[in-house]
Amino acid sequence: MKLALLSVNVSQPKPLAQVDGQIVLSAIGKEPVATKDIRVLKETLEGDRVADRTVHGGADKAVYAYPADNWPWWRNEHGLTCRPGAFGENLTVEGADESGVRIGDQFSWGDALLEVSQPRQPCFKFQLHTGRPEAAALMTIHARCGWYFRVIHEGLAPVAGVLERTHASDGPSVREAFIAAMHRRASEEDRKRIAAHPALARSFRATLLRQA
């Protein structure tokens, strides 16, 4: 499998909105980088930072990818404007969606090696970013969530080209893992089975086991 890399996007935390009199800081408003290469670090990309490390960032959420394969659905069904970085992603990719990518899949990207660690769980900042109160619910109901990579090997990577899968995992698809954690219809058996996969992020495993 090869994923076309449409854009690499980064941001620093900045005011997103004011809620209950408090300024909400976020780095969800990411923009494409202008350089030819970017350094992939253990917990982030060069030039990128998260605002709230209690729920974002860390080794298991180092790089967030979102498939442009979902854009037609968002545009045609819900009138959402789609562009690189629109979902707060670091990597805008094309070639497979959440059903085709599995927990534990590994992809080479330049000198770096990435491993799929967990689905993205939407929060209220996604709603503020899109200006659509229903955005997080739509992402949750339809499991069009994208996925996080952990960084196995750091290195310099091109901002254009492809991510090539070098290891095909026997793990659950990103969509299966998301549904198990976020949908009530998921069975206890499925939650326990998915939680047992060794490549799954520890915090996501804990979420599954709390519900099992």
Side-chain angles (χ1 to χ4, degrees), residues 16-95:
L16 176 62
Q18 189 168 355
V19 177
D20 297 330
Q22 300 293 319
I23 297 295
V24 177
L25 292 177
S26 178
I28 195 171
K30 300 192 187 300
E31 296 291 338
V33 301
T35 57
K36 292 183 178 180
D37 301 288
I38 192 166
R39 187 157 296 282
V40 184
L41 306 174
K42 198 65 178 175
E43 295 191 4
T44 189
L45 297 182
E46 185 178 22
D48 196 52
R49 194 159 64 87
V50 301
D52 184 356
R53 289 187 61 84
T54 64
V55 291
H56 299 292
D60 284 335
K61 298 180 181 179
V63 180
Y64 174 44
Y66 196 82
D69 307 72
N70 286 337
W71 285 5
W73 181 83
W74 284 104
R75 286 170 173 161
N76 299 337
E77 298 294 326
H78 302 287
L80 189 70
T81 300
C82 297
R83 60 169 181 79
F87 295 86
E89 77 273 16
N90 297 115
L91 307 183
T92 310
V93 298
E94 187 175 44

Side-chain angles (χ1 to χ4, degrees), residues 65 77 85 96 117 127 144 147 169 174 181 203:
E77 298 294 326
S117 55
Q127 298 170 199
R144 296 179 185 269
W147 56 87
S169 172
V174 170
S203 61

Side-chain angles (χ1 to χ4, degrees), residues 28 73-74 80 87 120-145 178 182-183:
I28 195 171
W73 181 83
W74 284 104
L80 189 70
F87 295 86
R120 179 254 192 96
Q121 296 163 281
C123 69
F124 76 102
K125 292 182 180 180
F126 179 54
Q127 298 170 199
L128 296 175
H129 175 60
T130 59
R132 302 283 291 273
E134 75 281 15
L138 288 171
M139 180 177 281
T140 300
I141 292 167
H142 299 280
R144 296 179 185 269
C145 54
F178 184 87
M182 305 295 288
H183 290 198

